[in-house]
Amino acid sequence: SFGLYFPRKEYSESVYIDQPAGTPLLRIHALRDSHGEAAHFHLCQNLIISRARSHENHWFQIREKTGLLYLSKSLDREDFNMLSVGNWMPLSKVMLYVFLSSHPFQEKECDSATRTTVFLSLINATAPACNALTARQLCFTEMDLSFHIKENKPPGTFHQLQLPSVHHLCQNLSISYKLLAAEGMPFRYNENTSGVSVTQRLDREERERYELIAKCTVREDFREMQVEVPFLVNVLDEDDSPPFLPNGTDTADAVVEFNRKEGTVLATLTVYDADTTPIYPLESSRKKYTGTIITDDPWINETFRVEHIFDEIHFSPNGSQVRGTQHEY
């Protein structure tokens, strides 16, 4: 068991000057490794301004049980100047680490291995009026909607389509979402919470990638605007499937004639592994499956050897392309 995990490696959001304390910025989700786990989120109290600089965090907090990141203190121009490289810059980027645990965090506990990165763009301007924003800005952040879900894990909610900051700021606008997917896809959009869930355990050997569309509709008085963006889910592999032989046999007969040159191939055996793909360094893949000549005759061990070659191949279960490995001995 590897415990709770984040479906994204990083998140990003914009923060404007003088946004009031309490403004929600973004919602971070976690998925379970096993039933009964409850997620607890924790924010380390340092902002990373650049590789060499950090600053104590006075402005951002996260709700431990919900993963909602919010402003705990309004960011004024003096704060911006302090956090930016120079006060002439219109934008400054800072970085936060959010940690995840299945138990409540102790104070200043920041050594959990499970973490994700939040990039915040600090903008030296007040937040624009809602009617000055495009439909794309009202509906989606600049982040790609791309997620990683582990196979064989319990279902759960892994994203919220509604932007907390826009919803908080633009309550006079009607913003609604739909998740467009082919029939039978294991994902569901909840209109009441705007959450997107995976509804069943996934199997990477059946399907490795899901391509959906997130559709947003913005209504203001009698005007309606729509925008669509790709919504992608990649299934992460777990080493859970045994290798198999394409022709069902696990032996190969070798006929050795006299005067064969060194390097002559005498017999071949092919093994498929739909579960994993070639990884680097190559020795790691080589060590997973080894070819051995079983004999008590030292002459045979000196004269013959088994060579192992492997390449990435593609299987097509249910019409979906899935990567795997072909091992040749």
Side-chain angles (χ1 to χ4, degrees):
S1 174
F2 294 98
L4 296 156
Y5 69 97
F6 291 105
R8 292 186 64 96
K9 293 181 179 178
E10 60 185 50
Y11 293 80
S12 64
E13 187 53 271
S14 297
V15 181
Y16 293 89
I17 295 290
D18 295 335
Q19 282 185 287
T23 299
L25 299 176
L26 62 90
R27 175 81 181 273
I28 296 174
H29 288 83
L31 286 171
R32 295 174 296 167
D33 185 80
S34 59
H35 285 292
E37 289 180 314
H40 296 266
F41 301 90
H42 180 66
L43 196 64
C44 276
Q45 293 305 305
N46 270 332
L47 292 171
I48 312 301
I49 302 171
S50 65
R51 290 182 180 178
R53 295 176 58 204
S54 65
H55 195 284
E56 187 175 354
N57 171 30
H58 300 291
W59 302 272
F60 308 102
Q61 287 293 333
I62 194 167
R63 300 202 186 281
E64 182 178 346
K65 293 184 178 180
T66 65
L68 181 68
L69 185 73
Y70 64 95
L71 270 173
S72 56
K73 176 182 179 296
S74 181
L75 185 76
D76 59 28
R77 295 190 184 276
E78 185 177 338
D79 296 330
F80 178 88
N81 293 340
M82 180 172 53
L83 294 174
S84 64
V85 178
N87 57 16
W88 54 271
M89 296 188 69
L91 180 146
S92 178
K93 285 204 171 185
V94 300
M95 187 169 69
L96 289 167
Y97 291 127
V98 175
F99 291 83
L100 179 62
S101 175
S102 57
H103 60 81
F105 278 88
Q106 301 301 315
E107 188 66 27
K108 296 185 178 180
E109 182 182 349
C110 288
D111 56 359
S112 168
T114 308
R115 74 180 189 186
T116 190
T117 306
V118 178
F119 293 95
L120 296 172
S121 297
L122 309 183
I123 300 174
N124 192 11
T126 56
C130 296
N131 57 14
L133 298 173
T134 65
R136 178 69 172 78
Q137 292 171 316
L138 289 166
C139 293
F140 304 105
T141 67
E142 294 302 315
M143 292 189 297
D144 292 334
L145 295 184
S146 180
F147 308 90
H148 295 84
I149 297 178
K150 294 181 180 180
E151 68 171 338
N152 305 321
K153 303 305 178 187
T157 301
F158 61 94
H159 183 62
Q160 180 177 320
L161 282 173
Q162 184 184 75
L163 302 182
S165 56
V166 171
H167 179 70
H168 180 80
L169 181 68
C170 306
Q171 297 183 8
N172 292 332
L173 293 178
S174 170
I175 303 175
S176 59
Y177 296 88
K178 283 186 178 179
L179 195 63
L180 308 180
E183 188 174 350
M185 278 199 181
F187 303 99
R188 182 178 65 226
Y189 172 65
N190 185 323
E191 292 184 1
N192 295 324
T193 64
S194 80
V196 180
S197 303
V198 55
T199 59
Q200 66 187 48
R201 294 173 183 262
L202 304 180
D203 185 350
R204 194 202 71 89
E205 288 72 63
E206 289 295 322
R207 185 159 183 167
E208 190 172 9
R209 181 180 171 91
Y210 294 88
E211 299 182 5
L212 305 88
I213 297 291
K215 179 180 179 180
C216 176
T217 302
V218 181
R219 295 181 180 88
E220 182 182 13
D221 297 329
F222 300 104
R223 189 169 62 133
E224 181 177 292
M225 299 173 287
Q226 294 184 339
V227 60
E228 297 181 359
V229 298
F231 190 102
L232 308 176
V233 177
N234 297 283
V235 185
L236 295 181
D237 187 63
E238 184 178 62
D239 199 354
D240 64 334
S241 299
F244 64 93
L245 301 147
N247 56 7
T249 179
D250 60 356
T251 59
D253 294 328
V255 177
V256 186
E257 298 176 345
F258 288 104
N259 298 325
R260 296 296 91 187
K261 292 182 179 180
E262 182 179 349
T264 299
V265 177
L266 303 173
T268 60
L269 188 64
T270 300
V271 181
Y272 288 163
D273 187 348
D275 189 65
T276 57
T277 58
I279 59 174
Y280 297 91
L282 293 179
E283 284 308 308
S284 298
S285 288
R286 250 186 263 280
K287 289 175 182 176
K288 183 173 181 181
Y289 300 118
T290 58
T292 306
I293 299 175
I294 302 174
T295 180
D296 294 327
D297 188 335
W299 179 81
I300 291 178
N301 279 327
E302 292 171 5
T303 310
F304 302 95
R305 71 175 182 268
V306 177
E307 288 193 353
H308 178 198
I309 302 169
F310 52 93
D311 294 291
E312 184 173 288
I313 58 172
H314 293 90
F315 302 96
S316 298
N318 304 323
S320 175
Q321 195 174 77
V322 175
R323 295 174 299 156
T325 307
Q326 175 180 284
H327 298 265
E328 289 188 286
Y329 298 89

